[in-house]
Amino acid sequence: SQTIHQWPATLVQPVGSPLSLECTVEGTSNPNLYWYRQAAGRGLQLLFYSVGIGQISSEVPQNLSASRPQDRQFILSSKKLLLSDSGFYLCAWTGGAMNTEAFFGQGTRLTVV
Amino acid sequence: ILNVEQSPQSLHVQEGDSTNFTCSFPSSNFYALHWYRWETAKSPEALFVMTLNGDEKKKGRISATLNTKEGYSYLYIKGSQPEDSATYLCANTPLVFGKGTRLSVIA
C-alpha cells in the first residue's frame, strides 16, 4: 500500500535561518507531488507541484523553493526564513492522472521567531 | 491556475439537520473537481473526485453533484452529526483548493 511521510512534525526556527522540509512517498511510482501552506486563519494555499523529477511548478512567488531529486521525494526549502513563513505545511501526492484523489502527509507546524 | 470559490465560509447546524455547501469554479478547461474533509489536527481526506457533467456521488450520508457547464458543485450532508464537524474543501486541477466551508454540528 502507498504511504506518505513528512517530517519534522513541528519546527521552530529563527528569522533568517534556512529551512528544509522533506516528503517521501512509498508504494507508488511517478506520483504527482504537492506542497501546501495554511497560514493562520487562511485556507490551504498551493505552493509547488511536480509531475516528475526535476519538474517543479511554482504557484506563489516567495522566498521558498522546491526540489524533486528523486521520483518519490519532494523537498521544500528556504535560504532565509521570514516571520510570514510561519504556518502549517502539508505535502500531498496523487497518481499520474489528475482525477485521482490526493493523499496528505501529517503536516509540519513551522513557527518562525 | 483557476480559482475555486466556496460558500458559505462557515455554517452552524443542529444535529439531525441536513445541509449543503457550494463550490464554484471556472467552467473552461475543466478536468476534475475534488471534495475533501479536513478535521482539526488531522490531514485532509478525500471524499469525492468528480469529472463528468451531471456526476452525482454518494458516501453514506454525504453526497455531491457536479455541473461543469455552469461551474459549480454542491456537497450535501443528510442528517448532520457532531462527528461531521470539519472543514470541507473543494479543489480543481492541479489541486488548487478553495478556502473551505467550516461546518459545526451542534448536539
Side-chain angles (χ1 to χ4, degrees):
Chain A
S1 62
Q2 303 92 351
T3 55
I4 180 169
H5 302 280
Q6 183 183 344
W7 66 93
T10 59
L11 195 57
V12 180
Q13 292 283 99
V15 169
S17 64
L19 172 73
S20 180
L21 302 181
E22 188 163 343
C23 174
T24 59
V25 180
E26 296 177 356
T28 188
S29 59
N30 197 30
N32 296 325
L33 297 170
Y34 307 81
W35 276 112
Y36 293 90
R37 175 174 65 197
Q38 185 194 29
R42 297 195 159 191
L44 209 52
Q45 181 185 39
L46 178 62
L47 301 175
F48 303 94
Y49 71 95
S50 171
V51 299
I53 295 175
Q55 300 177 62
I56 310 291
S57 295
S58 173
E59 297 308 313
V60 183
Q62 54 202 336
N63 70 322
L64 298 173
S65 63
S67 62
R68 186 170 176 172
Q70 300 180 47
D71 181 45
R72 291 168 289 178
Q73 184 185 30
F74 206 22
I75 298 172
L76 183 69
S77 304
S78 173
K79 291 182 179 178
K80 288 185 178 182
L81 283 169
L82 306 172
L83 286 173
S84 58
D85 291 324
S86 294
F88 187 60
Y89 290 80
L90 276 168
C91 178
W93 76 272
T94 65
M98 292 291 187
N99 62 346
T100 57
E101 66 184 77
F103 297 90
F104 288 82
Q106 292 303 303
T108 297
R109 174 74 58 189
L110 171 66
T111 303
V112 182
V113 295
Chain B
I1 296 297
L2 305 176
N3 289 327
V4 170
E5 302 288 337
Q6 290 189 249
S7 64
Q9 185 175 356
S10 65
L11 197 55
H12 293 78
V13 301
Q14 293 289 330
E15 182 176 358
D17 287 352
S18 295
T19 187
N20 64 85
F21 347 118
T22 305
C23 174
S24 301
F25 53 89
S27 55
S28 59
N29 297 320
F30 174 81
Y31 192 89
L33 193 283
H34 299 234
W35 280 102
Y36 291 81
R37 169 193 163 89
W38 193 8
E39 293 182 71
T40 303
K42 294 185 178 181
S43 301
E45 292 184 342
L47 290 172
F48 308 109
V49 180
M50 309 172 78
T51 57
L52 299 176
N53 184 46
D55 242 358
E56 188 168 338
K57 294 199 172 184
K58 187 175 181 180
K59 184 182 289 187
R61 295 179 289 100
I62 304 177
S63 60
T65 60
L66 179 66
N67 183 321
T68 61
K69 293 183 179 179
E70 296 182 38
Y72 64 84
S73 175
Y74 293 136
L75 188 79
Y76 301 90
I77 301 179
K78 184 178 179 181
S80 302
Q81 299 297 309
E83 58 265 30
D84 295 329
S85 297
T87 296
Y88 292 83
L89 301 167
C90 70
N92 64 353
T93 306
L95 280 189
V96 176
F97 285 90
K99 294 183 179 179
T101 294
R102 183 184 295 273
L103 174 67
S104 298
V105 181
I106 305 163

